[in-house]
Amino acid sequence: MIEDKFKKIEIENKVLNEHIEKYLSTLNASPNTIRSRKHALELFSNYHSTRKLFFFQVEDINKYRRYIERTLLKKPLTVRNYMSALNGFCKYLTEIDILDKNPASRITYKIKDLKPTVKAISLSIMLEIILDAKENDYEAALMILILYSSNLEVKDLVGIKKDIFKVNDRSFSILNSNNTFKIDNRFNFLIKYLLNNNNDYLFTNKIKKDGSFLSKRAIEENIKKLLKKNGIKDNPIARLKQSSILYYYYRNRSISKLREVYNIKSDNVVKKHLEQFPYFRSS
Protein backbone atom coordinates (compact mmCIF):
# COMPACT_ATOMS: atom_id res chain seq x y z
CA MET A 1 0.00 0.00 0.00
CA ILE A 2 1.06 3.58 -0.71
CA GLU A 3 0.39 4.53 2.90
CA ASP A 4 3.09 2.16 4.19
CA LYS A 5 5.77 3.88 2.11
CA PHE A 6 5.48 7.13 4.06
CA LYS A 7 7.27 7.67 7.33
CA LYS A 8 4.88 8.91 9.99
CA ILE A 9 5.81 12.44 11.05
CA GLU A 10 4.16 14.38 13.85
CA ILE A 11 4.78 18.15 13.94
CA GLU A 12 3.69 20.48 16.73
CA ASN A 13 1.37 23.18 15.47
CA LYS A 14 3.68 25.95 16.66
CA VAL A 15 6.57 24.41 14.75
CA LEU A 16 4.32 23.90 11.73
CA ASN A 17 3.49 27.62 11.69
CA GLU A 18 7.19 28.46 11.84
CA HIS A 19 7.80 26.25 8.82
CA ILE A 20 4.90 27.91 7.00
CA GLU A 21 6.40 31.36 7.60
CA LYS A 22 9.81 30.21 6.35
CA TYR A 23 8.23 28.58 3.30
CA LEU A 24 6.31 31.74 2.37
CA SER A 25 9.50 33.77 2.66
CA THR A 26 11.15 31.55 0.03
CA LEU A 27 8.46 32.09 -2.60
CA ASN A 28 9.42 34.09 -5.67
CA ALA A 29 5.88 35.13 -6.54
CA SER A 30 3.60 38.15 -6.70
CA PRO A 31 2.20 39.61 -3.45
CA ASN A 32 -1.26 38.34 -4.43
CA THR A 33 0.01 34.79 -4.90
CA ILE A 34 1.85 34.84 -1.57
CA ARG A 35 -1.25 36.23 0.14
CA SER A 36 -3.35 33.44 -1.39
CA ARG A 37 -0.85 30.75 -0.32
CA LYS A 38 -0.71 32.20 3.18
CA HIS A 39 -4.49 32.13 3.50
CA ALA A 40 -4.63 28.51 2.29
CA LEU A 41 -1.90 27.38 4.67
CA GLU A 42 -3.44 29.23 7.62
CA LEU A 43 -6.60 27.21 6.96
CA PHE A 44 -4.52 24.02 6.96
CA SER A 45 -2.77 25.07 10.19
CA ASN A 46 -6.12 25.67 11.90
CA TYR A 47 -7.27 22.22 10.81
CA HIS A 48 -3.97 20.66 11.92
CA SER A 49 -4.26 22.25 15.38
CA THR A 50 -7.57 20.46 16.00
CA ARG A 51 -6.23 17.01 15.08
CA LYS A 52 -4.37 15.03 17.72
CA LEU A 53 -3.33 12.36 15.23
CA PHE A 54 -1.95 13.90 12.06
CA PHE A 55 1.12 12.14 10.65
CA PHE A 56 1.35 13.60 7.12
CA GLN A 57 0.15 10.37 5.55
CA VAL A 58 -1.83 10.28 2.28
CA GLU A 59 -4.98 9.48 4.21
CA ASP A 60 -4.41 12.46 6.54
CA ILE A 61 -4.18 14.76 3.52
CA ASN A 62 -7.26 13.14 1.98
CA LYS A 63 -9.23 13.75 5.19
CA TYR A 64 -8.21 17.41 5.02
CA ARG A 65 -9.37 17.58 1.39
CA ARG A 66 -12.74 16.08 2.34
CA TYR A 67 -12.98 18.59 5.19
CA ILE A 68 -12.58 21.46 2.71
CA GLU A 69 -15.10 19.93 0.30
CA ARG A 70 -17.78 18.65 2.67
CA THR A 71 -17.52 20.74 5.82
CA LEU A 72 -16.45 24.07 4.39
CA LEU A 73 -18.37 23.40 1.14
CA LYS A 74 -15.72 25.00 -1.04
CA LYS A 75 -16.01 24.91 -4.84
CA PRO A 76 -13.82 22.41 -6.76
CA LEU A 77 -11.41 25.05 -8.08
CA THR A 78 -11.05 26.55 -4.60
CA VAL A 79 -10.27 23.08 -3.24
CA ARG A 80 -7.72 22.69 -6.01
CA ASN A 81 -6.06 25.99 -5.05
CA TYR A 82 -5.91 25.04 -1.35
CA MET A 83 -4.48 21.63 -2.15
CA SER A 84 -1.97 23.14 -4.56
CA ALA A 85 -0.74 25.42 -1.77
CA LEU A 86 -0.45 22.43 0.58
CA ASN A 87 1.36 20.43 -2.09
CA GLY A 88 3.94 23.21 -2.46
CA PHE A 89 4.38 23.40 1.31
CA CYS A 90 4.80 19.62 1.70
CA LYS A 91 7.33 19.65 -1.12
CA TYR A 92 9.25 22.30 0.83
CA LEU A 93 9.13 20.10 3.94
CA THR A 94 10.73 17.28 1.97
CA GLU A 95 13.45 19.63 0.73
CA ILE A 96 14.41 20.54 4.30
CA ASP A 97 14.21 16.87 5.37
CA ILE A 98 11.17 17.18 7.64
CA LEU A 99 9.19 14.75 5.46
CA ASP A 100 10.71 11.90 3.49
CA LYS A 101 8.07 12.10 0.73
CA ASN A 102 5.30 14.49 -0.29
CA PRO A 103 1.90 12.95 0.57
CA ALA A 104 -0.06 15.83 -0.99
CA SER A 105 1.31 14.97 -4.44
CA ARG A 106 -0.70 11.73 -4.35
CA ILE A 107 -4.10 13.42 -4.07
CA THR A 108 -6.38 13.25 -7.14
CA TYR A 109 -9.88 14.50 -7.95
CA LYS A 110 -12.90 13.12 -9.71
CA ILE A 111 -13.06 14.33 -13.30
CA LYS A 112 -16.77 15.17 -13.09
CA ASP A 113 -16.09 17.73 -10.37
CA LEU A 114 -13.59 19.60 -12.52
CA LYS A 115 -15.56 20.40 -15.66
CA PRO A 116 -15.73 24.14 -16.30
CA THR A 117 -18.89 25.68 -14.86
CA VAL A 118 -18.94 28.30 -17.62
CA LYS A 119 -18.34 28.14 -21.35
CA ALA A 120 -15.14 29.66 -22.70
CA ILE A 121 -15.21 32.49 -25.23
CA SER A 122 -13.78 31.39 -28.58
CA LEU A 123 -10.54 32.87 -29.83
CA SER A 124 -12.17 34.37 -32.92
CA ILE A 125 -14.84 36.14 -30.87
CA MET A 126 -12.24 37.41 -28.39
CA LEU A 127 -10.09 38.85 -31.19
CA GLU A 128 -13.13 40.46 -32.76
CA ILE A 129 -14.06 42.15 -29.47
CA ILE A 130 -10.54 43.56 -29.01
CA LEU A 131 -9.90 44.58 -32.63
CA ASP A 132 -13.30 46.23 -33.10
CA ALA A 133 -13.09 48.28 -29.88
CA LYS A 134 -13.81 51.99 -30.26
CA GLU A 135 -11.51 54.63 -28.81
CA ASN A 136 -13.50 55.05 -25.60
CA ASP A 137 -13.16 51.29 -25.04
CA TYR A 138 -9.41 51.00 -25.67
CA GLU A 139 -8.64 50.73 -21.97
CA ALA A 140 -11.09 47.84 -21.49
CA ALA A 141 -9.79 46.18 -24.67
CA LEU A 142 -6.23 46.36 -23.32
CA MET A 143 -7.40 44.86 -20.01
CA ILE A 144 -9.04 41.96 -21.84
CA LEU A 145 -6.00 41.42 -24.07
CA ILE A 146 -3.66 41.19 -21.06
CA LEU A 147 -5.98 38.88 -19.13
CA TYR A 148 -6.59 36.63 -22.11
CA SER A 149 -2.92 36.47 -23.08
CA SER A 150 -1.37 35.97 -19.67
CA ASN A 151 -3.80 33.99 -17.47
CA LEU A 152 -3.75 36.71 -14.80
CA GLU A 153 -6.52 37.48 -12.33
CA VAL A 154 -8.41 40.77 -12.55
CA LYS A 155 -6.90 41.77 -9.20
CA ASP A 156 -3.42 41.54 -10.76
CA LEU A 157 -4.23 44.50 -13.03
CA VAL A 158 -4.67 46.82 -10.05
CA GLY A 159 -1.66 49.10 -9.63
CA ILE A 160 0.24 47.81 -12.66
CA LYS A 161 2.67 50.42 -13.97
CA LYS A 162 3.33 51.16 -17.61
CA ASP A 163 6.92 50.05 -17.38
CA ILE A 164 5.79 46.41 -17.66
CA PHE A 165 5.62 47.14 -21.38
CA LYS A 166 8.67 47.02 -23.60
CA VAL A 167 7.22 49.24 -26.28
CA ASN A 168 10.16 48.87 -28.70
CA ASP A 169 9.52 45.18 -29.30
CA ARG A 170 5.83 45.32 -28.33
CA SER A 171 6.02 42.84 -25.51
CA PHE A 172 5.19 42.88 -21.82
CA SER A 173 6.20 41.04 -18.68
CA ILE A 174 3.81 40.80 -15.75
CA LEU A 175 4.70 41.18 -12.08
CA ASN A 176 7.27 38.59 -11.02
CA SER A 177 6.51 36.27 -13.89
CA ASN A 178 9.40 35.19 -16.09
CA ASN A 179 7.05 34.96 -19.06
CA THR A 180 7.11 37.66 -21.74
CA PHE A 181 4.10 38.04 -24.01
CA LYS A 182 4.41 39.45 -27.51
CA ILE A 183 1.78 41.86 -28.79
CA ASP A 184 0.64 41.26 -32.35
CA ASN A 185 0.90 44.19 -34.78
CA ARG A 186 -2.87 44.11 -35.06
CA PHE A 187 -2.99 45.72 -31.62
CA ASN A 188 -0.93 48.80 -32.55
CA PHE A 189 -3.88 51.04 -31.71
CA LEU A 190 -3.70 49.86 -28.08
CA ILE A 191 0.03 50.65 -27.98
CA LYS A 192 -0.72 54.16 -29.20
CA TYR A 193 -3.34 54.51 -26.49
CA LEU A 194 -0.79 53.39 -23.93
CA LEU A 195 1.80 55.92 -25.12
CA ASN A 196 -0.72 58.77 -25.04
CA ASN A 197 -1.46 58.06 -21.39
CA ASN A 198 0.91 60.27 -19.39
CA ASN A 199 0.27 58.57 -16.04
CA ASP A 200 2.62 56.04 -14.47
CA TYR A 201 -0.16 53.51 -13.96
CA LEU A 202 -1.55 51.48 -16.81
CA PHE A 203 -5.19 51.77 -15.78
CA THR A 204 -5.88 55.16 -14.24
CA ASN A 205 -8.89 56.49 -12.35
CA LYS A 206 -10.25 59.17 -14.69
CA ILE A 207 -12.76 60.47 -12.14
CA LYS A 208 -10.24 61.38 -9.44
CA LYS A 209 -7.82 62.87 -12.00
CA ASP A 210 -4.95 62.54 -9.54
CA GLY A 211 -3.07 59.77 -11.32
CA SER A 212 -4.35 57.04 -8.99
CA PHE A 213 -5.00 53.55 -10.35
CA LEU A 214 -8.35 51.88 -10.86
CA SER A 215 -9.81 49.55 -8.24
CA LYS A 216 -10.56 45.87 -8.91
CA ARG A 217 -14.27 46.65 -9.01
CA ALA A 218 -13.81 49.46 -11.56
CA ILE A 219 -11.65 47.21 -13.76
CA GLU A 220 -14.29 44.46 -13.64
CA GLU A 221 -17.02 46.94 -14.59
CA ASN A 222 -15.00 48.18 -17.59
CA ILE A 223 -14.42 44.63 -18.79
CA LYS A 224 -18.05 43.59 -18.27
CA LYS A 225 -19.28 46.65 -20.17
CA LEU A 226 -17.22 45.88 -23.26
CA LEU A 227 -17.97 42.14 -23.19
CA LYS A 228 -21.70 42.74 -22.70
CA LYS A 229 -21.65 45.23 -25.57
CA ASN A 230 -20.46 42.31 -27.70
CA GLY A 231 -23.05 39.81 -26.50
CA ILE A 232 -21.11 38.14 -23.63
CA LYS A 233 -23.72 38.73 -20.94
CA ASP A 234 -23.79 35.58 -18.84
CA ASN A 235 -21.12 35.90 -16.15
CA PRO A 236 -18.58 37.66 -18.44
CA ILE A 237 -15.69 37.80 -15.93
CA ALA A 238 -15.92 34.07 -15.23
CA ARG A 239 -16.08 33.33 -18.96
CA LEU A 240 -13.02 35.48 -19.59
CA LYS A 241 -11.14 33.68 -16.81
CA GLN A 242 -12.10 30.24 -18.13
CA SER A 243 -11.03 31.30 -21.64
CA SER A 244 -7.69 32.68 -20.49
CA ILE A 245 -6.76 29.55 -18.50
CA LEU A 246 -7.45 27.23 -21.40
CA TYR A 247 -5.97 29.47 -24.09
CA TYR A 248 -2.83 30.26 -22.09
CA TYR A 249 -1.92 26.63 -21.46
CA TYR A 250 -2.97 25.42 -24.88
CA ARG A 251 -1.01 28.20 -26.61
CA ASN A 252 2.09 27.05 -24.78
CA ARG A 253 1.34 23.47 -25.85
CA SER A 254 1.44 22.40 -22.24
CA ILE A 255 -1.01 19.55 -21.76
CA SER A 256 0.82 18.75 -18.51
CA LYS A 257 -0.06 22.22 -17.21
CA LEU A 258 -3.71 21.68 -18.09
CA ARG A 259 -3.55 18.40 -16.21
CA GLU A 260 -2.10 20.25 -13.23
CA VAL A 261 -4.82 22.93 -13.33
CA TYR A 262 -7.60 20.34 -13.32
CA ASN A 263 -5.73 17.60 -11.43
CA ILE A 264 -6.42 15.11 -14.21
CA LYS A 265 -4.30 11.97 -14.66
CA SER A 266 -4.52 11.29 -18.39
CA ASP A 267 -3.51 13.42 -21.40
CA ASN A 268 -6.40 11.86 -23.32
CA VAL A 269 -8.87 13.04 -20.68
CA VAL A 270 -7.50 16.58 -21.06
CA LYS A 271 -7.93 16.44 -24.83
CA LYS A 272 -11.51 15.22 -24.49
CA HIS A 273 -12.05 17.93 -21.90
CA LEU A 274 -11.12 20.55 -24.55
CA GLU A 275 -13.27 19.18 -27.37
CA GLN A 276 -16.12 21.53 -26.45
CA PHE A 277 -13.90 24.46 -27.44
CA PRO A 278 -13.48 24.33 -31.28
CA TYR A 279 -10.22 26.28 -31.37
CA PHE A 280 -8.61 23.83 -28.94
CA ARG A 281 -9.19 20.72 -31.06
CA SER A 282 -5.96 18.93 -31.80
CA SER A 283 -4.90 18.87 -35.45
Side-chain angles (χ1 to χ4, degrees):
M1 292 178 64
I2 291 176
E3 196 74 14
D4 295 333
K5 297 180 181 179
F6 285 79
K7 182 180 179 181
K8 290 186 176 182
I9 302 293
E10 191 171 9
I11 304 174
E12 291 183 8
N13 193 251
K14 181 180 178 181
V15 176
L16 180 75
N17 288 330
E18 290 173 355
H19 285 310
I20 288 174
E21 288 298 320
K22 290 178 182 177
Y23 164 66
L24 293 173
S25 70
T26 67
L27 293 179
N28 181 21
S30 72
N32 286 329
T33 299
I34 294 174
R35 205 160 32 240
S36 175
R37 292 286 177 92
K38 182 178 181 181
H39 173 74
L41 293 175
E42 284 175 347
L43 180 68
F44 172 67
S45 174
N46 290 338
Y47 172 86
H48 176 271
S49 68
T50 63
R51 299 299 185 274
K52 291 183 178 180
L53 300 176
F54 192 100
F55 300 112
F56 285 89
Q57 302 292 286
V58 173
E59 182 53 33
D60 293 326
I61 304 298
N62 253 324
K63 286 179 181 178
Y64 174 62
R65 176 182 61 82
R66 290 194 291 269
Y67 165 76
I68 300 172
E69 290 175 333
R70 300 172 187 178
T71 304
L72 300 184
L73 300 177
K74 296 296 182 180
K75 295 179 180 179
L77 287 181
T78 302
V79 175
R80 189 264 301 172
N81 289 337
Y82 285 170
M83 295 306 297
S84 175
L86 182 57
N87 181 44
F89 176 59
C90 287
K91 182 180 178 182
Y92 166 78
L93 291 180
T94 63
E95 291 170 354
I96 62 173
D97 297 325
I98 301 298
L99 300 180
D100 63 333
K101 294 181 181 180
N102 179 0
S105 66
R106 305 295 182 95
I107 306 303
T108 57
Y109 297 86
K110 293 181 180 178
I111 302 304
K112 66 179 182 179
D113 292 334
L114 295 159
K115 292 179 180 178
T117 55
V118 292
K119 186 179 179 181
I121 305 167
S122 73
L123 177 59
S124 59
I125 291 175
M126 190 67 76
L127 288 176
E128 186 177 331
I129 291 171
I130 297 171
L131 292 171
D132 291 348
K134 305 302 180 185
E135 189 169 350
N136 60 340
D137 288 326
Y138 281 178
E139 187 171 60
L142 187 57
M143 292 172 182
I144 290 172
L145 176 62
I146 293 175
L147 290 174
Y148 197 79
S149 302
S150 61
N151 186 34
L152 290 175
E153 301 277 359
V154 171
K155 62 187 178 184
D156 294 324
L157 299 185
V158 176
I160 282 184
K161 293 194 173 182
K162 285 201 304 186
D163 56 14
I164 65 166
F165 278 80
K166 301 173 185 176
V167 179
N168 291 335
D169 62 355
R170 292 188 174 84
S171 65
F172 62 96
S173 301
I174 301 292
L175 302 177
N176 293 329
S177 170
N178 293 321
N179 294 316
T180 298
F181 305 94
K182 293 287 184 181
I183 299 177
D184 192 289
N185 287 331
R186 287 175 293 178
F187 305 115
N188 279 347
F189 64 100
L190 294 179
I191 298 297
K192 290 178 180 177
Y193 161 79
L194 178 66
L195 292 176
N196 289 332
N197 176 0
N198 294 322
N199 296 299
D200 290 334
Y201 293 106
L202 195 56
F203 303 116
T204 309
N205 193 319
K206 304 295 191 304
I207 297 175
K208 290 186 177 180
K209 297 180 180 179
D210 61 355
S212 61
F213 52 78
L214 281 176
S215 66
K216 178 176 178 287
R217 182 176 180 181
I219 289 174
E220 286 186 342
E221 288 305 313
N222 282 358
I223 293 169
K224 285 179 183 178
K225 184 178 178 182
L226 183 54
L227 290 177
K228 286 182 178 180
K229 191 183 292 186
N230 287 271
I232 312 297
K233 296 180 180 180
D234 51 323
N235 204 352
I237 296 294
R239 289 189 66 179
L240 175 60
K241 177 61 179 173
Q242 182 66 35
S243 308
S244 68
I245 289 175
L246 293 172
Y247 176 61
Y248 176 65
Y249 288 124
Y250 180 80
R251 185 193 64 187
N252 287 284
R253 297 293 187 267
S254 182
I255 293 294
S256 62
K257 278 291 184 184
L258 279 165
R259 286 172 54 186
E260 181 182 325
V261 167
Y262 289 104
N263 288 286
I264 297 173
K265 286 185 176 181
S266 165
D267 283 358
N268 289 331
V269 173
V270 174
K271 290 174 183 176
K272 288 180 181 179
H273 187 65
L274 297 176
E275 283 299 313
Q276 61 180 302
F277 307 107
Y279 58 102
F280 288 133
R281 287 176 186 158
S282 54
S283 56

